[in-house]
Amino acid sequence: RGATTGPESACSMIAVLRGSISEKTPSRVIVDVAGVGYDVLVPLSTFYVLGEPGAAVTLRIHTHVREDVIALYGFITRLEQDLFERLIAISGVGPKLALAVLSGIEPTDLIRAIRTQDVARLTRIPGIGKKTAERIGLELKDRLPASLQIAEPAPAASTAADQLRDDLLSALVNLGYQRPVAEKAVERVLHAQPDARFETALKDILRALMKS
């Protein structure tokens, strides 16, 4: 029986998780793999394309070890994982902030903002100040492969009106928006689109908030 040197060596081999969705929220998903539930943190760009609980899922995994804490970060595409790992390599950008970046801007828009040094666009992401935005643009501008692409997200099923409102508010608060601002934005979009899906409504809300 081979020996290991601790949690990091035991988990470093997790590159992909294949199983079914046990639970999901905008920031995390529990993946059931042969009866074992893995708690995986995900950005909204991944959440958008996940199925409902019970659906099959395959996630690319980045294992982050800090002191006695092991966290799994999951991504639906290689592009998202690539951007995440490049972001956390920047001084001052940890996994939580990297997830916030991927949740606050589409991957292709992030690549465009980095390549054009669009600091104003990057600072519209909750949690990203001017200095961090400048650092991201400066350190990644010449390190992004020219051929980076992303697949279009697939729509997910709609929810009941009250649950949809609660889910949208929870997602926005988790992304760093103040609750009064989030509530106004949610009401505005749901008034115009009462039958909107969660993912569609959230995208429209984020676009509106970033323009304001």
Side-chain angles (χ1 to χ4, degrees):
R1 187 171 173 177
T4 60
T5 57
E8 182 171 6
S9 61
C11 292
S12 61
M13 296 183 353
I14 298 180
V16 175
L17 283 179
R18 279 192 191 87
S20 61
I21 298 173
S22 177
E23 299 176 23
K24 73 167 187 172
T25 70
S27 61
R28 70 199 318 134
V29 59
I30 297 178
V31 181
D32 186 324
V33 181
V36 178
Y38 291 86
D39 189 0
V40 185
L41 299 168
V42 298
L44 286 176
S45 54
T46 284
F47 174 80
Y48 287 147
V49 299
L50 294 177
E52 296 303 313
V57 65
T58 299
L59 291 175
R60 303 178 64 86
I61 299 297
H62 173 90
T63 303
H64 188 76
V65 180
R66 182 173 59 85
E67 297 176 353
D68 295 328
V69 178
I70 298 174
L72 302 180
Y73 295 86
F75 310 92
I76 207 74
T77 66
R78 183 186 296 273
L79 171 61
E80 292 169 319
Q81 184 179 15
D82 190 5
L83 289 172
F84 175 85
E85 291 176 345
R86 290 170 190 267
L87 284 166
I88 62 174
I90 299 172
S91 175
V93 179
K96 184 177 179 180
L97 188 55
L99 276 193
V101 171
L102 292 176
S103 294
I105 185 173
E106 292 286 344
T108 48
D109 291 336
L110 174 60
I111 293 169
R112 188 178 302 111
I114 290 171
R115 286 177 174 158
T116 60
Q117 301 289 282
D118 190 348
V119 172
R121 178 66 186 86
L122 292 173
T123 54
R124 291 206 295 272
I125 301 170
I128 299 296
K130 185 178 179 182
K131 288 185 178 179
T132 302
E134 290 174 342
R135 192 180 306 124
I136 289 172
L138 209 58
E139 295 199 23
L140 295 187
K141 182 180 180 181
D142 300 320
R143 299 182 186 177
L144 298 179
S147 60
L148 285 180
Q149 298 291 333
I150 184 168
E152 288 297 322
S158 60
T159 62
D162 290 342
Q163 187 62 52
L164 173 61
R165 183 175 285 101
D166 290 344
D167 288 347
L168 289 168
L169 284 173
S170 176
L172 292 170
V173 170
N174 286 337
L175 289 172
Y177 289 101
Q178 294 184 353
R179 190 171 184 86
V181 174
E183 288 176 345
K184 289 181 182 179
V186 169
E187 291 303 324
R188 193 158 46 239
V189 168
L190 292 186
H191 179 73
Q193 306 174 52
D195 298 322
R197 294 186 178 93
F198 174 89
E199 291 79 2
T200 302
L202 186 57
K203 283 184 178 181
D204 290 343
I205 291 168
L206 289 173
R207 289 193 189 102
L209 287 172
M210 289 175 186
K211 289 178 181 177
S212 62

